[in-house]
Amino acid sequence: MGTVKSTTSAGRMKSKLKSKSPLDRMLEVFVYLSMIVVTVLTIYPFLNVLAISFNDSVDTVRGGITIWPRQFTLRNYEMIFSFSGLITGFKISVLRTVIGTLAGLISGSMLAYTLARREFQARKFISTFLAITMYVSGGLIPGFILMKDLHLINTFAVYILPGLVSAFNVFVIRSFIDGLPYALQESAKLDGANDFTIYWRVILPLCKPALATVALFLAVGQWNSWFDTYLFNGSNESLTTLQYELMKILQSTTTSATNSQDAANMAQRMAQVSPESVKMAITIIVTVPILVVYPFLQKYFVKGMTLGAVKS
Amino acid sequence: MKAITLKTENGYKKTEQSKRTAWKVFKNQKYLYFMSIPFVLWVFVFQYLPLWGWTMAFQKYRPGASFFEQKWVGFEHFRTLFQDDHFYQVLRNTLAMSFMGLIAGFIIPVAFALMLNEVRSQVMKRFVQTVSYLPHFVSWVVAAGIVTKMLSTDGGVVNSLLMSLNIIDQPIQFMAQGQWFWGIVTGADIWKETGWNAIIYLAAISGIGPELYEAARVDGASRLRQMWHITLPGIRPTIIVLLIMSIGHLLGTGFEKQFLLGNHLVIDYSEVLDLYALNYGLAMGRYSFGTAINIFNSVISLILLFAANGIFKRFTNESIM
């Protein structure tokens, strides 16, 4: 008896120490509920689109699809893959993502390395020169005229060249290099390595986390951009990107058929599949590559964002 | 090239000997110059040359003619701009959506970061955070498509939900009525960017020393008070720096959302400065007029940036310059 009593009183003591005030408990409930709401609000639209893309399009018109297809089918996807415009778009999108990312990584890291060399005379000048571009830009029309004067309109190069050097990315890599021990560079120099060798052999391999961050930014930016296609290459069918094709199809019902003759044609070709379902299926195809990549790079870009924000 | 001129300028005032050492330093650093100058020229061409294009706004620009053959017209295009009633409507739309975006983009990520920080389960915290980044990585094309789908009158989840709760008995035509447009753009922005924007605040929160919280706990402060008196002041500098930067980008909020979510039914509410430049400048071949709009946009942005920076410097001792 006595022992039982003592344990319960001890337990009560413990729980009293641990127990939270009602206010804290309310806060906790509120926080957890909000987090659940946020998660649902974020994920639900994607699941809904996914379900519709796998649902029979005639059945979809009846409405009421939530997160699970009612009549499963792959027809919507089969339809898309038979459309050649999207295949070209896919190729161009992959190509610009790969080339744009590689080119941006090399140029960004090289410039960042020179800016991280303390004794480099032009370092301050170049840093300022770059930083200014983060706040002032010529704007849409002067940019367009420049591309026209450089004969970059209707070329693939217009996807790669203008954004090759981005101040933000350079500063992210620079601050990462600043965090490496400087003695590494000095000892390599004593061993007779020139500055380029130090960059290529010493710095670049150590920069992988920063490079991963920047690669993600570059790749996502390239994959997602559509406006440059619209502005510069919209009339050239062999150079349009996947995002641009998706944009045309999505806009085809919201605007009257002014800018999307192709989309109307396409919808006609797919008479047996409703455009709604096709839209959703393309949306999924455009989104999946990103979904696959980003969770793995999460630890890198969180670090990179913080670095970039502190420096710039 | 640039490096050499820079060098002679530097060496100009100096003695012969220092000139020689400067040249030696330059030779020593030749690899660094080789590795940076091409990109500096690159930035010059693609970022600075468009600024030179601003001269177009003061000309009657004809494509194809050289710079010296252009006819100069002074501020004529700006006068046309300021006399255009349409311009004021566009300005109103830009300012309205920018301010709504600024306020929402400032308060909600901070609130989200504070709340996520209170989640004690590490698994749940990570999960929620990973999910919250997701919309940032999809393009605006996809995001606009999803928003349109969710708000649609046939089977859109928002209308279905409102109808099943008996709040409305007719589906609302969200995308076809101008009065909803600013709210939809702001809401889409919140949906897409909150998780991403919270990253920096979460990083700042994790930098706050745990001893502060321990001391507060010993003093019997509730979690809410800890949030208010420790976490929030701890991330104050971060909040202010980001606020200044977003004020600087106020008019540069872009036009992608408006372009993709808007349509001819809501154009009175959806057209922003950049779209105005696109539709009434570029599309109609009025390059000079369009450039004038771009310049107006840039100049106002810079003024806002410096003003915000100055005000915060004065009152809070935080600034970015």
Side-chain angles (χ1 to χ4, degrees):
Chain A
M1 276 284 269
T3 43
V4 172
K5 208 174 185 182
S6 79
T7 41
T8 47
S9 76
R12 208 175 282 153
M13 274 286 280
K14 220 173 185 180
S15 74
K16 202 169 187 184
L17 264 176
K18 257 189 153 177
S19 83
K20 297 153 186 168
S21 70
L23 196 68
D24 277 354
R25 206 160 275 172
M26 260 164 64
L27 179 78
E28 193 140 276
V29 171
F30 178 70
V31 163
Y32 276 86
L33 276 180
S34 324
M35 289 303 114
I36 291 168
V37 169
V38 167
T39 312
V40 170
L41 278 180
T42 313
I43 293 186
Y44 180 82
F46 287 104
L47 293 178
N48 187 224
V49 169
L50 188 67
I52 294 174
S53 78
F54 279 112
N55 197 56
D56 182 72
S57 62
V58 181
D59 180 65
T60 302
V61 180
R62 281 171 46 215
I65 303 288
T66 51
I67 59 169
W68 205 252
R70 201 160 41 203
Q71 289 186 18
F72 183 84
T73 178
L74 292 171
R75 279 267 298 287
N76 303 326
Y77 287 94
E78 281 164 19
M79 279 298 147
I80 294 170
F81 286 113
S82 67
F83 182 64
S84 68
L86 286 179
I87 306 292
T88 318
F90 188 79
K91 276 185 206 148
I92 296 288
S93 283
V94 169
L95 210 59
R96 70 175 289 179
T97 303
V98 172
I99 297 177
T101 305
L102 286 178
L105 273 184
I106 291 173
S107 56
S109 60
M110 215 187 267
L111 190 55
Y113 163 72
T114 65
L115 296 183
R117 288 299 297 263
R118 286 173 206 159
E119 74 274 24
F120 184 37
Q121 293 163 308
R123 170 183 140 126
K124 195 131 202 195
F125 167 75
I126 296 176
S127 296
T128 317
F129 190 73
L130 265 182
I132 289 174
T133 66
M134 292 173 75
Y135 293 99
V136 191
S137 84
L140 201 61
I141 288 163
F144 179 82
I145 300 285
L146 179 72
M147 295 305 143
K148 214 166 123 187
D149 290 345
L150 294 172
H151 302 289
L152 285 173
I153 288 179
N154 271 322
T155 63
F156 180 76
V158 81
Y159 295 143
I160 310 293
L161 298 185
L164 192 64
V165 183
S166 130
F168 182 81
N169 291 343
V170 170
F171 290 138
V172 167
I173 305 176
R174 203 261 309 260
S175 28
F176 187 85
I177 300 177
D178 280 340
L180 298 172
Y182 203 66
L184 280 174
Q185 301 192 31
E186 273 163 354
S187 63
K189 193 133 214 192
L190 285 178
D191 290 342
N194 68 40
D195 290 320
F196 183 77
T197 320
I198 298 176
Y199 157 73
W200 192 251
R201 290 273 163 80
V202 182
I203 298 298
L204 216 45
L206 289 172
C207 275
K208 273 182 200 138
L211 294 180
T213 311
V214 170
L216 179 78
F217 291 159
L218 287 166
V220 169
Q222 286 284 0
W223 181 259
N224 280 346
S225 75
W226 58 277
F227 189 70
D228 48 9
T229 316
Y230 172 83
L231 201 56
F232 304 122
N233 292 344
S235 55
N236 191 336
E237 269 180 31
S238 61
L239 287 174
T240 59
T241 54
L242 205 51
Q243 298 282 350
Y244 177 69
E245 294 293 335
L246 175 65
M247 188 278 283
K248 278 199 302 189
I249 294 166
L250 288 177
Q251 297 272 304
S252 62
T253 49
T254 45
T255 55
S256 50
T258 42
N259 61 353
S260 46
Q261 208 53 47
D262 306 65
N265 288 343
M266 185 179 164
Q268 240 169 27
R269 287 178 51 177
M270 300 177 167
Q272 55 287 50
V273 176
S274 86
E276 258 332 274
S277 301
V278 173
K279 282 181 187 175
M280 296 304 120
I282 300 176
T283 304
I284 292 299
I285 290 187
V286 169
T287 314
V288 159
I290 284 168
L291 280 184
V292 171
V293 173
Y294 95 94
F296 297 101
L297 291 168
Q298 184 171 340
K299 63 173 178 192
Y300 294 125
F301 67 68
V302 170
K303 212 177 258 166
M305 270 297 280
T306 327
L307 270 179
V310 170
K311 271 283 165 178
S312 61
Chain B
M1 271 269 281
K2 184 158 270 130
I4 294 167
T5 46
L6 197 106
K7 192 81 344 273
T8 45
E9 266 167 37
N10 270 354
Y12 186 67
K13 283 175 246 155
K14 292 173 186 167
T15 59
E16 192 62 17
Q17 197 189 352
S18 77
K19 207 191 237 171
R20 212 178 301 142
T21 51
W23 175 246
K24 224 165 150 188
V25 171
F26 172 65
K27 261 178 80 181
N28 266 335
Q29 299 183 345
K30 64 176 181 288
Y31 281 100
L32 293 176
Y33 280 103
F34 284 143
M35 289 165 72
S36 56
I37 295 304
F39 301 117
V40 172
L41 292 176
W42 205 274
V43 170
F44 178 75
V45 169
F46 285 101
Q47 310 272 3
Y48 283 81
L49 273 189
L51 292 176
W52 172 250
W54 280 14
T55 52
M56 270 191 297
F58 306 96
Q59 301 165 341
K60 201 170 160 57
Y61 179 79
R62 285 174 304 139
S66 83
F67 178 74
F68 299 100
E69 292 163 354
Q70 304 290 354
K71 193 175 152 219
W72 293 86
V73 295
F75 285 91
E76 193 191 292
H77 297 297
F78 288 94
R79 265 197 294 277
T80 318
L81 183 65
F82 295 136
Q83 279 163 10
D84 185 359
D85 285 338
H86 195 78
F87 166 72
Y88 293 98
Q89 192 186 51
V90 168
L91 190 61
R92 178 203 67 180
N93 295 342
T94 313
L95 288 175
M97 280 182 266
S98 300
F99 274 109
M100 285 167 77
L102 179 77
I103 292 165
F106 156 65
I107 294 172
I108 293 177
V110 172
F112 177 66
L114 283 177
M115 287 210 270
L116 197 58
N117 188 52
E118 294 301 318
V119 173
R120 289 290 175 259
S121 147
Q122 283 304 309
V123 178
M124 180 165 176
K125 197 170 169 180
R126 253 191 102 74
F127 176 74
V128 173
Q129 214 183 350
T130 307
V131 166
S132 72
Y133 302 144
L134 169 61
H136 171 78
F137 288 102
V138 305
S139 66
W140 266 114
V141 177
V142 169
I146 289 177
V147 168
T148 311
K149 179 77 201 154
M150 295 303 126
L151 294 176
S152 77
T153 45
D154 47 299
V157 65
V158 176
N159 271 319
S160 317
L161 200 66
L162 290 176
M163 300 243 297
S164 66
L165 292 174
N166 283 326
I167 296 173
I168 51 170
D169 44 41
Q170 281 287 318
I172 301 174
Q173 295 198 308
F174 286 107
M175 305 308 290
Q177 292 173 334
Q179 80 217 58
W180 299 103
F181 192 79
W182 296 346
I184 291 171
V185 164
T186 312
D189 220 8
I190 294 171
W191 179 73
K192 199 169 180 302
E193 303 298 341
T194 295
W196 182 252
N197 290 336
I199 289 181
I200 294 173
Y201 298 121
L202 283 166
I205 289 174
S206 66
I208 300 172
E211 67 278 1
L212 287 175
Y213 292 103
E214 262 153 46
R217 228 169 292 142
V218 169
D219 290 347
S222 70
R223 299 242 307 258
L224 208 57
R225 303 209 91 182
Q226 291 174 33
M227 263 160 100
W228 186 255
H229 291 288
I230 301 172
T231 316
L232 218 46
I235 60 173
R236 205 184 71 142
T238 317
I239 295 176
I240 289 172
V241 166
L242 290 183
L243 189 61
I244 296 172
M245 290 193 4
S246 53
I247 290 174
H249 291 136
L250 197 60
L251 291 194
T253 45
F255 54 93
E256 275 189 272
K257 297 164 257 189
Q258 289 83 359
F259 185 108
L260 295 164
L261 286 166
N263 56 61
H264 62 282
L265 295 171
V266 297
I267 194 139
D268 286 349
Y269 294 88
S270 69
E271 201 165 39
V272 288
L273 279 169
D274 268 330
L275 283 184
Y276 181 53
L278 190 68
N279 293 335
Y280 289 82
L282 199 58
M284 296 167 96
R286 293 160 77 199
Y287 298 121
S288 295
F289 183 64
T291 308
I293 301 169
N294 286 153
I295 292 179
F296 175 80
N297 200 336
S298 292
V299 169
I300 298 289
S301 296
L302 271 187
I303 292 173
L304 286 173
L305 178 69
F306 282 112
N309 194 54
I311 290 169
F312 280 107
K313 206 173 196 169
R314 180 116 179 236
F315 291 109
T316 66
N317 291 322
E318 308 285 352
S319 75
I320 56 167
M321 279 175 264

